[in-house]
Amino acid sequence: MAASIGVTGLTCRAQALSMPWPQRPLRLIVVYPPGGVSDLMARALAEPLSHALGVPVLVDNRPGAGGSVGLDILSRAAPDGHTLALSAISPLTLMPLIVRTPYDPMRAFVPVAGVMRTPVLVVGTPAFTGLDFGDVIAQARERPGALRWATSGVATIGHLVLAQVRLQSGAAITHIPYQGGGPQLNDALSGQFEVLSTNLASQQLQYIAAGRLRALAVGAPVRVDALPDVPTLAELGFKSANRDSLFGLFAPAGTPAALVQRLNAEVEAVLQDQTLRQRLRDAYNLPFTGSSDDFAREIARDRQRNRALMEKGRAQFE
């Protein structure tokens, strides 16, 4: 049986690589605003993919509603391999558990390839008068609702972190949802709220080094090398909030399996490039490699985990 599966896999890959594709430029929808970690990664992928495929790969930012606007556009695109989207998996594994989405998260898309895992960073802004994460909880308990915590949108990974902190601590913290990582950072620097959870990127680290933001915690399996003194949320006692973001490429449902495998092979080849891998590491991201099935299994696991969390504390996501 194993030999049969192996032969089948090789045959599908050979068929995929012989398909008359692409026939025109590819459109790569980024479901978040320009300037964020996903936008930077999309542009880092677009150039080598353009060279590999022989056609331009055009990045098209379509932010809104935590990623659901861009994914809705993808769901209505022709399933011919010429339109893809780069997104975190939370619009498929978390958002539909909280709000109604314009697409069916289980049927509208085909996972093509995982790309990267990104730690979550929790920072205090100039409006935050505390020193550490413990002060976040203390101030929220002292003045219920007064402490404002911003995220890149409802049902994003940053929102999940906030919801789990609220659930476990019992603190009343006001959620300030944005439409993506770029706009919220500008408001963070001007002290429009006290706390921000966002994907870790080099820009935030620069502001931390300059004293304009205060690093309070990270969501990651271990501490981040660039912030060795900043504890993970698990270390602080918030294990269920200790989450990172998984980003990947998606195609519309109905995209032929052979074409999905071709796309996966091309992305995998790009992610093996040492220069690109170093760019990921320099931005404190970890490459996520594997087949489209590997990516799909990770999405299914995350959906199951989020469903269990929702059953315990749905009210904290309001």
Side-chain angles (χ1 to χ4, degrees), residues 223-228 284:
R223 294 192 183 194
V224 176
D225 290 343
L227 300 168
Y284 306 99

Side-chain angles (χ1 to χ4, degrees), residues 127-132 135-136 139 214 216:
F128 178 58
T129 58
L131 297 177
D132 56 25
D135 289 335
V136 172
Q139 290 185 9
R214 180 185 296 275
L216 302 174

Side-chain angles (χ1 to χ4, degrees), residues 92-213:
L92 303 183
T93 65
L94 178 63
M95 183 176 294
L97 302 176
I98 301 172
V99 298
R100 183 183 298 275
T101 57
Y103 47 81
D104 184 336
M106 304 289 288
R107 299 180 180 180
F109 311 106
V110 177
V112 173
V115 173
M116 64 180 180
R117 284 193 177 278
T118 303
V120 171
L121 177 65
V122 181
V123 298
T125 76
F128 178 58
T129 58
L131 297 177
D132 56 25
F133 193 81
D135 289 335
V136 172
I137 305 303
Q139 290 185 9
R141 286 173 173 164
E142 182 179 349
R143 299 178 59 201
L147 189 137
R148 299 159 295 177
W149 181 318
T151 74
S152 56
V154 172
T156 60
I157 196 70
H159 187 196
L160 184 147
V161 170
L162 166 59
Q164 293 308 303
V165 168
R166 289 199 293 195
L167 176 63
Q168 187 169 334
S169 68
I173 302 171
T174 298
H175 180 210
I176 308 294
Y178 278 74
Q179 295 296 320
Q184 67 178 354
L185 186 56
N186 292 329
D187 284 356
L189 294 171
S190 61
Q192 298 299 309
F193 44 79
E194 286 75 26
V195 179
L196 166 67
S197 54
T198 184
N199 291 121
L200 176 62
S202 57
Q203 189 174 25
Q204 287 93 322
L205 293 174
Q206 293 172 6
Y207 292 131
I208 291 169
R212 300 184 65 185
L213 296 173

